[in-house]
Amino acid sequence: MLTPTEKIWHNGKFIRWDDATIHVLSHVVNYGSSVFEGIRCYSTPGGPAIFRLGEHVRRMVDSAKIYRMELGYTSEQLADAMLELVRVNSMDACYIRPIAFRGFGDIGVNGLKNPIDIYMGCWNWGKYLGEEALAEGVDVCVSSWTRMAPNTFPALAKAGANYMNSQLIKMEAIINGYSEGIALDVAGYVSEGSGENIFVVRDGRIHTPPLGASVLPGITRDSVLTLARDMNIPVVETIIPREMLYIADEVFFSGTAAEITPIRSIDRITVGKGRRGPIAEALQHEFFGLIGGTRPDTHGWLSHVHAAQPA
Ligand SMILES: Cc1ncc(COP(=O)(O)O)c(C=O)c1O
């Protein structure tokens, strides 16, 4: 259950958590017409800092553009609102959820005349797949569900409706005793987890599916690729056959929620040595060092919520 915070941002104003309600006949409730983001704010020695705020705002603006939604706010205004949201709720580490959707008005499928409502909330959130998962790895399956085909639901947009597919993948995995499912794309190649991008390591080289494999362009995916290049680990974006998962030395997920989570088995087949591998561990070290503020933020990925105090 969510623990409420004090305020939610709505169309430029802060309102009480309990007042952030919508009509049941809003377009979004009936047709899933929303675009949103999931963003983490981390606790650092310099106070709370939002991870890759600019990139998340850009993806939300991109998602809205794909769905012909006019947000009515500049990227800067949206970014400032998120920083302010963390401040007014006096949060330290938290999860931030901005969402834009077609609101109440017409009830037909065409939502072009419905108002676009934007809300932003934040709350405390721990490790998505569990603290232990980061060190030990998780047990996952290949889903019987396929990711959406190209030119059906645009995978590059982070749209609410896409998560109907994610729900099928996730529920099936949980019911069958796994932590997560890996979906294949419509051609049968590896795509991604229900809420994570995936990386496959073999012979010291990192492979990840390209954007054309129905994956969300993950911000953490980009961070992993960037950190790996910084560390001189070869990386390649390429189609990955399913069976490559079983013979990999390491497989791991990336995502805002999952951060960098190793996978220790897939379909009950042990991956590598059956625990976190050295490449996932080295990437975690860099990633957690950076977001924890103990390693230099060389790429400027942290947006501090409070202005730095003069020395
Ligand atoms: C389907 C899907 N793929 C990948 C990701 C990872 O993206 P990011 O690293 O931007 O959180 C997410 C999470 O948002 C997701 O929902």
Side-chain angles (χ1 to χ4, degrees), residues 245-251 263-264 269-275:
L245 296 171
Y246 305 129
I247 58 172
D249 300 322
E250 296 181 40
V251 183
I263 294 172
R264 65 181 177 195
I269 298 177
T270 302
V271 174
K273 297 202 162 67
R275 55 184 143 84

Side-chain angles (χ1 to χ4, degrees), residues 199-208 224-238 252 279 283:
F199 295 83
V200 178
V201 179
R202 179 141 161 132
D203 296 335
R205 182 190 293 262
I206 301 177
H207 308 73
T208 197
V224 165
L225 293 175
T226 304
L227 291 176
R229 287 187 186 114
D230 289 351
M231 295 157 75
N232 292 320
I233 305 172
V235 293
V236 42
E237 293 174 59
T238 182
F252 56 90
I279 289 188
L283 284 163

Side-chain angles (χ1 to χ4, degrees), residues 36-38 56 59 95 147 158 163 166 192-197 215-222 254-257:
F36 69 100
E37 275 303 315
H56 280 284
R59 188 171 64 187
Y95 187 83
R147 212 78 186 113
K158 191 169 172 70
Y163 287 81
S166 289
E192 61 179 347
S194 74
E196 306 87 7
N197 293 109
V215 302
L216 183 76
I219 313 287
T220 323
R221 174 185 184 276
D222 181 72
S254 77
T256 297

Side-chain angles (χ1 to χ4, degrees), residues 88-112:
V88 301
N89 284 302
S90 308
M91 298 300 278
D92 191 26
C94 61
Y95 187 83
I96 305 168
R97 165 58 50 81
I99 182 161
F101 56 81
R102 297 195 193 278
F104 180 80
D106 284 352
I107 194 64
V109 167
N110 172 21
L112 286 173

Side-chain angles (χ1 to χ4, degrees), residues 241-295:
R242 172 180 181 163
E243 60 274 25
M244 180 90 162
L245 296 171
Y246 305 129
I247 58 172
D249 300 322
E250 296 181 40
V251 183
F252 56 90
F253 281 136
S254 77
T256 297
E259 297 170 310
I260 298 173
T261 298
I263 294 172
R264 65 181 177 195
S265 78
I266 303 173
D267 295 334
R268 308 270 180 238
I269 298 177
T270 302
V271 174
K273 297 202 162 67
R275 55 184 143 84
R276 174 174 62 188
I279 289 188
E281 189 169 359
L283 284 163
Q284 280 183 336
H285 185 74
E286 290 300 312
F287 181 78
F288 289 118
L290 194 155
I291 60 177
T294 58
R295 295 185 74 76

